[in-house]
Amino acid sequence: MTDAAIALTPPRRRARDRGARLRLWGYGLLGLLLLAVGWELYKAMGPADGVVIGDARVLPRTSDLAMPHVWEMATRLLEPVTRAEGARPLWLEIVLAAALTLGIAAAGWVVGVVVGIALALIMQRWHLAESAMLPWIVLSQTVPLIAFAPLVRSWGSRIEIGAFEWQDWMSVAVIASYLAFFPVAVGALRGLQAPDAIHLELLRTYSVGWWATLRSVRLPAAVPYLLPALRLAAANAVVGAIVAEVSTGLQGGIGRLIIQYAGQASGDPAKAWAPIAGAVALGLIAAGSVAILGLIFRNYRRAEATQ
């Protein structure tokens, strides 16, 4: 390859990466458009009573009460939350609630990542610890959050250490971390065990210790497994935060708005869908934010492993 060709390689790579990002945005917008078109097609052509299989309704009714038009929901976002004078627009109310939930979910995500990586390191270091802990880690995810969240709030309210007082949002963050730590622990463990045996045996031949092996071989090898796990953990943290807000009664978050506006759906059906759309956007933002880590560790990503 000539010097001129070598000089042109980085700009070409940047242009290729920029084109790939634009395609991803295009696919995302196309997906939203197809979702809106599918919504309207089902509303126009679907049965009035919905699709019922046995005694279960698997698809909703197509009435304006159950399925408002897409443009009605979009227009409702620009209107005030209530008819009271000085009421904020609905979109701003959704943004503020989503910001609160996102902050709590971020705190839970950080705790979940720290706990998950710590557990993965312990299980990788001692095989006995893996055999003893991994089944319980998997079993922990079978506990229903709707029953577990009130217990966490009850236990947390009894914690008093000096001037420290447990806050309700901390219970929600604990629930978020409870869902976030699992994919991180499993993904990190799989990544730490990913290096080829020949590389580990070479380091062992040179009497390289566990810590140096971890830093130079195991952690770089774990990056392709850890990045997808971190994105999944971010989405799980948002789900955990929303469910915990509903279960614990925390005010101000997107979870409480879903319940509150659902009770007003009979008189304002378009309003009830606004916090649901906000929750979906919140999950996408949380997972997309973790993609920044992929830029930091791009030299180690190569092909990301699937969980």
Side-chain angles (χ1 to χ4, degrees), residues 44-56:
M45 303 173 61
D49 291 333
V51 177
V52 180
I53 299 178
D55 294 331

Side-chain angles (χ1 to χ4, degrees), residues 5-30:
I6 294 175
L8 288 174
T9 299
R12 288 176 178 173
R13 184 181 299 114
R14 287 194 294 268
R16 183 187 61 191
D17 294 341
R18 193 160 45 243
R21 286 194 293 269
L22 290 176
R23 283 195 299 272
L24 289 176
W25 279 102
Y27 291 148
L29 293 175
L30 179 61

Side-chain angles (χ1 to χ4, degrees), residues 194-210:
D196 295 333
I198 189 173
H199 297 154
L200 299 176
E201 291 173 0
L202 177 64
L203 293 178
R204 194 177 300 115
T205 301
Y206 285 102
S207 299
V208 178
W210 178 81

